[in-house]
Amino acid sequence: MPARSSMLIASQLLAPTSSVGNRLQEQEYEQLVLDAAGQLDELDREILLMRIVEGLTHFEISHVLDMTDTAVRKRFGRALIKLKDELTRGGLTGA
């Protein structure tokens, strides 16, 4: 997963901050997201990016990937759970 993509996902999950200390924490968080996303299946990463970063609906993603809407919804939900589990294993609390 390209680093830019993980930073886009992380930025969607983080509130903007101004202090240097907070920015360093955000950079660490971005790296954790990159590492965790790298553990996901390629299709799961793609669905997460389309939904979270690009803002596509489940219906739109289903057409792009030639899948049913139900399958996309299930994969998206499972991918979020896997991402959370990976972030927790990576040391991020409150994921």
Side-chain angles (χ1 to χ4, degrees):
M1 177 177 216
R4 183 172 184 279
S5 298
S6 66
M7 290 189 310
L8 290 171
I9 290 175
S11 69
Q12 294 294 317
L13 302 174
L14 293 171
T17 59
S18 58
S19 78
V20 174
N22 286 338
R23 182 61 194 141
L24 288 173
Q25 285 180 319
E26 287 178 11
Q27 289 172 342
E28 290 174 6
Y29 183 76
E30 289 168 358
Q31 186 60 50
L32 285 172
V33 171
L34 176 63
D35 294 344
Q39 299 301 312
L40 300 177
D41 177 87
E42 184 177 342
L43 182 59
D44 290 343
R45 285 193 307 266
E46 187 67 24
I47 290 171
L48 283 175
L49 287 171
M50 288 180 173
R51 185 73 180 107
I52 295 171
V53 178
E54 296 175 18
L56 298 178
T57 66
H58 293 111
F59 181 75
E60 291 168 328
I61 296 168
S62 71
H63 284 285
V64 170
L65 298 178
D66 194 27
M67 298 172 67
T68 66
D69 182 62
T70 302
V72 170
R73 287 177 187 277
K74 287 180 181 180
R75 294 229 35 165
F76 178 71
R78 290 177 185 149
L80 284 178
I81 291 168
K82 288 178 192 176
L83 184 63
K84 180 182 177 186
D85 290 346
E86 289 297 328
L87 288 170
T88 302
R89 271 195 284 279
L92 185 66
T93 58

